[in-house]
Amino acid sequence: MKVRIQHELLTRLPKVDLHLHLDGSVKPATVLELAKEQGIGLSDTEIEKMEHLSQLDEPDAAGHEGRGSLDFALPFLQTSGALERAAYEAVEQASLHRCQYIEVRFAPQLHRHKGLSVDEIIQAVCRGLRQGETACGVKARAILICLRGHSYMMNAAVVEAAQRFMDQGVVAVDLAGEETACPTVQFRTLFTIAKRQGTPITIHVDGTAGTANIYEAVKELGAARIGHGGLLLEDARTLELVRELQIPLEMCPVSDRQTKTAPLPEAYSIKQLLDWGIPVTVNTDNTTMSGTNITKEYLRLADQCKLTTKEIARIILNGVNAAFLEENEKLSLKERFLRDFKREGLLLPNTW
Ligand SMILES: [Zn+2]
């Protein structure tokens, strides 16, 4: 009975999603429609895969192929119309789960196969996000991803574009991709541009190449947030740095578990990280590829980690505090969340 009440409450509570990949979150039905519209034939296997994804409910369901399979929607996201639609639908899907704020990330350089420029790509996504905001009442912003496997020139073009679009919906830059072959240390010069521009930085470090990449991202690249950040508990020096600077972790429990980025379960304890005073946030990563949504993330956490409602509220507010929004916008978002929490009978410390 108590569990059911908590589940109902979690469904109702307002939430944020700070780590959401555009290409990994396109609805399978949309991919099929885009393929048809664009005259791209799909093989039976691909159609089957789309159908499988559309029914994916259990996060550990067989068939998940890890983050490497993220490019499933990329061939269809090469036109302004398709990008705008995908961005709009990302907001629409988030609104179904009482998300009040989302940050949608994408790598502009991956959408240029049909001749779109980096600027045209960013414009299309920002347009879709704005339409979603108006239609669904969810605040939505964009994060531009640089890729570890891309050249300095390609990534520099993305970082520079971020500055041009800061007043049109872009709020930060990110670095993603294979960590073992391209460690974080290689990107110091690139992120110097972002720091000079004053563009906020978040860096993907899922731990596959060790926690040194987290330390480097925070200490040298100026990351204000860390994407994923599993394994942090394994390394006292990095844990202390992240705690001291209060760097939020954008954790994605369902996806992190699927991709096994934390081989030792004890190194991925959200409860322990919270107890250590780390500003943990919870996000979806790729709603389609991982068969997840933000409500499911919290429900599973509550069940598996035995988090109290108060701890869940703490995580949600960590997300609001970590948002790459202007201070005044963040403050009004936070006030709205606190009002809703109070209405739900959640008595939170004044210091929150
Ligand atoms: Zn990610």
Side-chain angles (χ1 to χ4, degrees):
M1 182 66 176
K2 201 175 162 203
V3 170
R4 191 172 59 78
I5 291 170
Q6 194 189 31
H7 277 202
E8 285 168 4
L9 177 66
L10 292 182
T11 306
R12 284 198 308 271
L13 284 181
K15 305 165 194 74
V16 301
D17 192 350
L18 305 179
H19 193 121
L20 168 64
H21 288 262
L22 182 69
D23 51 352
S25 304
V26 185
K27 294 192 288 188
T30 300
V31 173
L32 293 173
E33 279 179 38
L34 289 174
K36 205 171 165 190
E37 261 173 47
Q38 297 173 11
I40 304 175
L42 286 173
S43 67
D44 288 350
T45 322
E46 285 168 319
I47 293 174
E48 252 173 56
K49 190 173 169 187
M50 292 302 135
E51 281 165 358
H52 168 72
L53 285 169
S54 65
Q55 290 155 12
L56 202 59
D57 186 47
E58 256 310 293
D60 300 313
H64 181 79
E65 294 157 24
R67 291 187 188 117
S69 60
L70 281 185
D71 53 3
F72 87 105
L74 272 180
F76 315 101
L77 297 177
Q78 302 297 330
T79 66
S80 291
L83 284 161
E84 192 176 319
R85 175 176 175 178
Y88 175 86
E89 289 182 0
V91 185
E92 192 181 43
Q93 290 190 89
S95 74
L96 302 177
H97 294 281
R98 288 234 62 214
C99 259
Q100 303 286 297
Y101 176 68
I102 60 170
E103 288 173 6
V104 178
R105 62 187 70 198
F106 62 103
Q109 296 286 9
L110 296 179
H111 301 276
R112 299 182 61 194
H113 298 311
K114 287 191 178 164
L116 288 179
S117 67
V118 164
D119 282 21
E120 286 169 332
I121 291 157
I122 300 170
Q123 277 158 357
V125 173
C126 289
R127 215 162 38 236
L129 295 179
R130 276 196 300 274
Q131 287 163 5
E133 271 194 349
T134 311
C136 311
V138 177
K139 220 178 241 304
R141 297 291 183 267
I143 295 177
L144 307 185
I145 305 177
C146 298
L147 288 165
R148 290 175 189 264
H150 279 179
S151 69
Y152 175 81
M153 294 299 284
M154 286 172 86
N155 284 330
V158 172
V159 174
E160 284 159 11
Q163 190 182 32
R164 287 197 295 283
F165 286 91
M166 282 307 268
D167 58 350
Q168 294 172 57
V170 171
V171 288
V173 286
D174 179 21
L175 177 67
E178 224 277 298
E179 288 165 35
T180 312
C182 312
T184 309
V185 67
Q186 291 177 2
F187 300 90
R188 283 187 186 180
T189 316
L190 176 69
F191 282 89
T192 304
I193 310 175
K195 281 194 268 185
R196 209 172 42 224
Q197 291 174 176
T199 308
I201 299 166
T202 175
I203 305 277
H204 267 80
V205 188
D206 63 16
T208 42
T211 49
N213 276 320
I214 301 181
Y215 195 88
E216 173 70 24
V218 174
K219 193 81 178 167
E220 302 297 339
L221 270 63
R225 296 191 333 219
I226 291 293
H228 304 287
L231 298 191
L232 186 62
L233 287 165
E234 276 194 342
D235 172 2
R237 183 181 75 139
T238 308
L239 182 64
E240 187 47 40
L241 177 74
V242 168
R243 195 187 64 79
E244 191 193 328
L245 298 179
Q246 287 292 291
I247 303 291
L249 297 187
E250 304 158 1
M251 303 190 90
C252 308
V254 169
S255 162
D256 290 342
R257 186 158 163 215
Q258 288 168 339
T259 50
K260 301 184 179 59
T261 47
L264 305 168
E266 60 272 27
Y268 189 96
S269 165
I270 285 184
K271 202 171 175 89
Q272 221 177 318
L273 286 165
L274 275 179
D275 291 345
W276 265 94
I278 305 291
V280 172
T281 72
V282 164
N283 312 280
T284 54
D285 211 11
N286 302 287
T287 53
T288 303
M289 289 313 299
S290 292
T292 190
N293 59 57
I294 197 72
T295 309
K296 190 187 276 185
E297 297 282 348
Y298 279 107
L299 293 180
R300 286 174 66 91
L301 268 189
D303 285 346
Q304 290 174 355
C305 304
K306 305 283 173 266
L307 291 184
T308 64
T309 307
K310 215 171 202 173
E311 284 168 328
I312 297 271
R314 171 81 265 183
I315 294 173
I316 294 174
L317 283 182
N318 283 345
V320 177
N321 287 332
F324 287 136
L325 273 174
E326 297 280 337
E327 275 312 309
N328 57 342
E329 287 184 286
K330 203 191 296 196
L331 201 63
S332 66
L333 188 67
K334 189 171 171 179
E335 281 168 0
R336 187 140 42 100
F337 273 57
L338 287 172
R339 264 200 311 274
D340 280 6
F341 287 177
K342 203 169 169 188
R343 197 175 310 127
E344 293 291 353
L346 277 165
L347 294 174
L348 304 174
N350 286 335
T351 47
W352 288 15

Short mmCIF file of all heavy atoms in Angstrom, two decimals, residues 6 233 239 249 251 253 265-282 301-312 314-315 318:
data_model
loop_
_atom_site.label_atom_id
_atom_site.label_comp_id
_atom_site.label_asym_id
_atom_site.label_seq_id
_atom_site.Cartn_x
_atom_site.Cartn_y
_atom_site.Cartn_z
N GLN A 6 3.57 5.77 -2.87
CA GLN A 6 4.81 6.46 -3.30
C GLN A 6 4.89 6.50 -4.83
O GLN A 6 5.26 7.51 -5.40
CB GLN A 6 6.04 5.75 -2.71
CG GLN A 6 7.29 6.63 -2.85
CD GLN A 6 8.58 5.91 -2.50
OE1 GLN A 6 8.71 4.72 -2.69
NE2 GLN A 6 9.55 6.66 -2.01
N LEU A 233 32.54 6.55 -6.79
CA LEU A 233 32.82 6.07 -5.43
C LEU A 233 34.12 5.27 -5.34
O LEU A 233 34.64 5.03 -4.25
CB LEU A 233 31.65 5.21 -4.92
CG LEU A 233 30.39 6.00 -4.55
CD1 LEU A 233 29.20 5.06 -4.42
CD2 LEU A 233 30.60 6.77 -3.25
N LEU A 239 36.24 11.85 -5.93
CA LEU A 239 35.02 12.02 -5.15
C LEU A 239 35.10 13.30 -4.31
O LEU A 239 34.16 14.09 -4.26
CB LEU A 239 34.84 10.80 -4.23
CG LEU A 239 33.60 10.75 -3.35
CD1 LEU A 239 32.33 10.67 -4.19
CD2 LEU A 239 33.64 9.56 -2.40
N LEU A 249 26.14 15.33 -10.88
CA LEU A 249 26.29 14.17 -11.76
C LEU A 249 24.97 13.97 -12.49
O LEU A 249 23.92 13.91 -11.86
CB LEU A 249 26.58 12.90 -10.95
CG LEU A 249 27.85 12.83 -10.14
CD1 LEU A 249 28.00 11.42 -9.57
CD2 LEU A 249 29.07 13.19 -10.96
N MET A 251 23.19 11.40 -13.74
CA MET A 251 23.15 9.94 -13.78
C MET A 251 21.92 9.48 -14.57
O MET A 251 20.89 10.15 -14.59
CB MET A 251 23.15 9.37 -12.37
CG MET A 251 24.38 9.86 -11.60
SD MET A 251 24.65 9.05 -10.03
CE MET A 251 25.68 7.68 -10.51
N PRO A 253 20.24 6.03 -14.57
CA PRO A 253 20.33 4.67 -14.01
C PRO A 253 19.99 3.54 -14.97
O PRO A 253 20.73 2.55 -15.02
CB PRO A 253 19.32 4.72 -12.85
CG PRO A 253 19.22 6.16 -12.48
CD PRO A 253 19.43 6.93 -13.75
N PRO A 265 28.49 -2.97 -8.74
CA PRO A 265 27.27 -2.30 -8.31
C PRO A 265 27.52 -1.35 -7.14
O PRO A 265 26.92 -0.28 -7.06
CB PRO A 265 26.33 -3.43 -7.90
CG PRO A 265 26.96 -4.68 -8.38
CD PRO A 265 28.39 -4.41 -8.69
N GLU A 266 28.46 -1.72 -6.27
CA GLU A 266 28.70 -0.88 -5.10
C GLU A 266 29.34 0.46 -5.48
O GLU A 266 29.33 1.41 -4.70
CB GLU A 266 29.53 -1.60 -4.04
CG GLU A 266 30.90 -2.06 -4.46
CD GLU A 266 30.89 -3.46 -5.10
OE1 GLU A 266 29.85 -3.84 -5.66
OE2 GLU A 266 31.93 -4.14 -5.02
N ALA A 267 29.91 0.53 -6.70
CA ALA A 267 30.51 1.80 -7.14
C ALA A 267 29.45 2.74 -7.72
O ALA A 267 29.73 3.87 -8.05
CB ALA A 267 31.59 1.55 -8.17
N TYR A 268 28.24 2.22 -7.88
CA TYR A 268 27.18 3.02 -8.48
C TYR A 268 26.01 3.09 -7.50
O TYR A 268 24.92 2.62 -7.78
CB TYR A 268 26.74 2.37 -9.81
CG TYR A 268 25.79 3.24 -10.62
CD1 TYR A 268 26.28 4.05 -11.63
CD2 TYR A 268 24.43 3.25 -10.39
CE1 TYR A 268 25.44 4.83 -12.39
CE2 TYR A 268 23.57 4.04 -11.13
CZ TYR A 268 24.09 4.82 -12.13
OH TYR A 268 23.25 5.61 -12.88
N SER A 269 26.27 3.62 -6.37
CA SER A 269 25.20 3.70 -5.38
C SER A 269 24.74 5.14 -5.26
O SER A 269 25.43 5.99 -4.69
CB SER A 269 25.68 3.19 -4.03
OG SER A 269 24.75 3.59 -3.04
N ILE A 270 23.58 5.39 -5.81
CA ILE A 270 23.06 6.76 -5.77
C ILE A 270 22.82 7.20 -4.33
O ILE A 270 23.10 8.33 -3.96
CB ILE A 270 21.79 6.84 -6.63
CG1 ILE A 270 22.21 6.83 -8.11
CG2 ILE A 270 20.95 8.06 -6.29
CD1 ILE A 270 21.14 6.99 -9.12
N LYS A 271 22.37 6.25 -3.52
CA LYS A 271 22.10 6.59 -2.12
C LYS A 271 23.39 7.01 -1.41
O LYS A 271 23.43 8.01 -0.70
CB LYS A 271 21.47 5.38 -1.42
CG LYS A 271 20.69 5.75 -0.19
CD LYS A 271 19.93 4.53 0.32
CE LYS A 271 19.24 4.83 1.61
NZ LYS A 271 17.91 5.37 1.47
N GLN A 272 24.43 6.24 -1.66
CA GLN A 272 25.72 6.55 -1.02
C GLN A 272 26.27 7.89 -1.50
O GLN A 272 26.82 8.67 -0.73
CB GLN A 272 26.70 5.44 -1.36
CG GLN A 272 27.57 5.05 -0.18
CD GLN A 272 28.48 3.90 -0.55
OE1 GLN A 272 28.05 2.97 -1.22
NE2 GLN A 272 29.73 3.96 -0.14
N LEU A 273 26.11 8.14 -2.80
CA LEU A 273 26.59 9.42 -3.34
C LEU A 273 25.83 10.59 -2.71
O LEU A 273 26.41 11.62 -2.38
CB LEU A 273 26.42 9.45 -4.87
CG LEU A 273 27.42 8.58 -5.66
CD1 LEU A 273 26.94 8.38 -7.09
CD2 LEU A 273 28.81 9.21 -5.64
N LEU A 274 24.53 10.39 -2.53
CA LEU A 274 23.73 11.43 -1.86
C LEU A 274 24.23 11.65 -0.45
O LEU A 274 24.40 12.79 0.00
CB LEU A 274 22.26 10.99 -1.78
CG LEU A 274 21.33 11.25 -2.97
CD1 LEU A 274 19.95 10.71 -2.64
CD2 LEU A 274 21.26 12.72 -3.35
N ASP A 275 24.48 10.54 0.25
CA ASP A 275 24.97 10.65 1.63
C ASP A 275 26.33 11.36 1.70
O ASP A 275 26.64 12.03 2.67
CB ASP A 275 25.08 9.26 2.28
CG ASP A 275 23.71 8.63 2.51
OD1 ASP A 275 22.71 9.38 2.45
OD2 ASP A 275 23.64 7.41 2.72
N TRP A 276 27.12 11.22 0.64
CA TRP A 276 28.41 11.89 0.56
C TRP A 276 28.26 13.37 0.26
O TRP A 276 29.24 14.11 0.22
CB TRP A 276 29.26 11.24 -0.54
CG TRP A 276 30.19 10.19 -0.04
CD1 TRP A 276 29.95 8.85 0.01
CD2 TRP A 276 31.51 10.38 0.48
NE1 TRP A 276 31.03 8.19 0.53
CE2 TRP A 276 32.00 9.11 0.83
CE3 TRP A 276 32.31 11.50 0.68
CZ2 TRP A 276 33.27 8.92 1.36
CZ3 TRP A 276 33.58 11.31 1.22
CH2 TRP A 276 34.05 10.03 1.55
N GLY A 277 27.04 13.79 -0.06
CA GLY A 277 26.81 15.20 -0.37
C GLY A 277 27.06 15.54 -1.83
O GLY A 277 27.28 16.70 -2.18
N ILE A 278 27.03 14.52 -2.71
CA ILE A 278 27.21 14.77 -4.15
C ILE A 278 25.84 15.16 -4.74
O ILE A 278 24.85 14.46 -4.50
CB ILE A 278 27.72 13.50 -4.88
CG1 ILE A 278 29.01 12.98 -4.24
CG2 ILE A 278 27.89 13.76 -6.37
CD1 ILE A 278 30.23 13.84 -4.42
N PRO A 279 25.78 16.26 -5.51
CA PRO A 279 24.49 16.62 -6.11
C PRO A 279 24.11 15.70 -7.28
O PRO A 279 24.34 16.01 -8.44
CB PRO A 279 24.70 18.07 -6.60
CG PRO A 279 26.12 18.42 -6.33
CD PRO A 279 26.84 17.22 -5.82
N VAL A 280 23.55 14.56 -6.93
CA VAL A 280 23.14 13.58 -7.94
C VAL A 280 21.86 14.06 -8.63
O VAL A 280 20.95 14.54 -7.96
CB VAL A 280 22.84 12.23 -7.25
CG1 VAL A 280 22.23 11.24 -8.21
CG2 VAL A 280 24.10 11.67 -6.61
N THR A 281 21.81 13.93 -9.96
CA THR A 281 20.54 14.17 -10.66
C THR A 281 20.22 12.90 -11.43
O THR A 281 21.10 12.10 -11.72
CB THR A 281 20.64 15.36 -11.64
OG1 THR A 281 21.43 14.98 -12.78
CG2 THR A 281 21.25 16.59 -10.99
N VAL A 282 18.94 12.73 -11.76
CA VAL A 282 18.51 11.51 -12.47
C VAL A 282 17.88 11.90 -13.80
O VAL A 282 17.07 12.82 -13.87
CB VAL A 282 17.54 10.70 -11.59
CG1 VAL A 282 16.78 9.67 -12.41
CG2 VAL A 282 18.34 9.98 -10.50
N LEU A 301 14.29 3.54 -9.12
CA LEU A 301 15.20 3.96 -8.05
C LEU A 301 14.57 3.76 -6.69
O LEU A 301 15.19 3.26 -5.75
CB LEU A 301 15.53 5.44 -8.19
CG LEU A 301 16.75 5.85 -8.98
CD1 LEU A 301 16.99 7.32 -8.79
CD2 LEU A 301 17.97 5.06 -8.53
N ALA A 302 13.30 4.20 -6.62
CA ALA A 302 12.60 4.08 -5.34
C ALA A 302 12.52 2.62 -4.92
O ALA A 302 12.73 2.28 -3.75
CB ALA A 302 11.20 4.69 -5.47
N ASP A 303 12.27 1.74 -5.89
CA ASP A 303 12.13 0.32 -5.58
C ASP A 303 13.48 -0.32 -5.26
O ASP A 303 13.63 -1.01 -4.26
CB ASP A 303 11.53 -0.43 -6.78
CG ASP A 303 10.04 -0.16 -6.89
OD1 ASP A 303 9.47 0.36 -5.91
OD2 ASP A 303 9.46 -0.46 -7.95
N GLN A 304 14.44 -0.09 -6.14
CA GLN A 304 15.70 -0.84 -6.02
C GLN A 304 16.65 -0.26 -4.98
O GLN A 304 17.38 -1.00 -4.33
CB GLN A 304 16.39 -0.89 -7.39
CG GLN A 304 15.62 -1.79 -8.33
CD GLN A 304 16.18 -1.77 -9.74
OE1 GLN A 304 17.09 -1.02 -10.06
NE2 GLN A 304 15.62 -2.60 -10.60
N CYS A 305 16.66 1.06 -4.86
CA CYS A 305 17.60 1.66 -3.91
C CYS A 305 16.91 2.02 -2.61
O CYS A 305 17.54 2.60 -1.72
CB CYS A 305 18.25 2.90 -4.52
SG CYS A 305 19.06 2.59 -6.06
N LYS A 306 15.61 1.73 -2.53
CA LYS A 306 14.84 2.04 -1.32
C LYS A 306 15.02 3.52 -0.93
O LYS A 306 15.32 3.84 0.23
CB LYS A 306 15.24 1.14 -0.14
CG LYS A 306 15.14 -0.35 -0.44
CD LYS A 306 13.71 -0.84 -0.40
CE LYS A 306 13.53 -2.26 -0.87
NZ LYS A 306 13.18 -2.46 -2.26
N LEU A 307 14.89 4.36 -1.91
CA LEU A 307 15.00 5.79 -1.61
C LEU A 307 13.71 6.28 -0.99
O LEU A 307 12.62 5.85 -1.38
CB LEU A 307 15.26 6.59 -2.90
CG LEU A 307 16.62 6.42 -3.58
CD1 LEU A 307 16.74 7.35 -4.77
CD2 LEU A 307 17.77 6.66 -2.62
N THR A 308 13.82 7.17 -0.04
CA THR A 308 12.62 7.74 0.55
C THR A 308 12.09 8.83 -0.39
O THR A 308 12.81 9.31 -1.27
CB THR A 308 12.95 8.40 1.90
OG1 THR A 308 13.85 9.49 1.64
CG2 THR A 308 13.59 7.43 2.86
N THR A 309 10.86 9.23 -0.16
CA THR A 309 10.27 10.28 -0.99
C THR A 309 11.09 11.57 -0.84
O THR A 309 11.26 12.31 -1.78
CB THR A 309 8.81 10.50 -0.57
OG1 THR A 309 8.17 9.23 -0.60
CG2 THR A 309 8.10 11.44 -1.51
N LYS A 310 11.57 11.79 0.35
CA LYS A 310 12.37 12.99 0.59
C LYS A 310 13.67 12.96 -0.21
O LYS A 310 14.11 13.97 -0.77
CB LYS A 310 12.69 13.10 2.08
CG LYS A 310 12.73 14.52 2.57
CD LYS A 310 12.83 14.52 4.07
CE LYS A 310 12.34 15.82 4.63
NZ LYS A 310 12.24 15.85 6.05
N GLU A 311 14.28 11.78 -0.27
CA GLU A 311 15.53 11.66 -1.07
C GLU A 311 15.24 11.89 -2.56
O GLU A 311 16.02 12.51 -3.26
CB GLU A 311 16.17 10.28 -0.85
CG GLU A 311 16.87 10.18 0.50
CD GLU A 311 17.25 8.76 0.88
OE1 GLU A 311 16.53 7.80 0.50
OE2 GLU A 311 18.26 8.59 1.57
N ILE A 312 14.09 11.38 -3.00
CA ILE A 312 13.71 11.60 -4.41
C ILE A 312 13.52 13.10 -4.65
O ILE A 312 13.99 13.64 -5.66
CB ILE A 312 12.40 10.85 -4.73
CG1 ILE A 312 12.58 9.35 -4.57
CG2 ILE A 312 11.87 11.24 -6.12
CD1 ILE A 312 13.04 8.57 -5.76
N ARG A 314 14.91 15.48 -3.09
CA ARG A 314 16.25 16.07 -3.09
C ARG A 314 16.89 15.93 -4.49
O ARG A 314 17.46 16.87 -5.03
CB ARG A 314 17.10 15.33 -2.03
CG ARG A 314 18.56 15.63 -2.00
CD ARG A 314 18.91 16.89 -1.27
NE ARG A 314 19.03 18.04 -2.13
CZ ARG A 314 19.39 19.25 -1.74
NH1 ARG A 314 19.62 19.50 -0.48
NH2 ARG A 314 19.49 20.25 -2.58
N ILE A 315 16.78 14.75 -5.08
CA ILE A 315 17.37 14.51 -6.41
C ILE A 315 16.72 15.41 -7.46
O ILE A 315 17.39 16.00 -8.31
CB ILE A 315 17.26 13.01 -6.80
CG1 ILE A 315 18.10 12.15 -5.86
CG2 ILE A 315 17.69 12.79 -8.24
CD1 ILE A 315 17.94 10.65 -6.04
N ASN A 318 17.98 18.82 -6.99
CA ASN A 318 19.37 18.90 -7.48
C ASN A 318 19.36 19.19 -8.97
O ASN A 318 20.17 19.96 -9.47
CB ASN A 318 20.11 17.57 -7.25
CG ASN A 318 20.54 17.36 -5.81
OD1 ASN A 318 20.54 18.30 -5.02
ND2 ASN A 318 20.89 16.13 -5.47
#
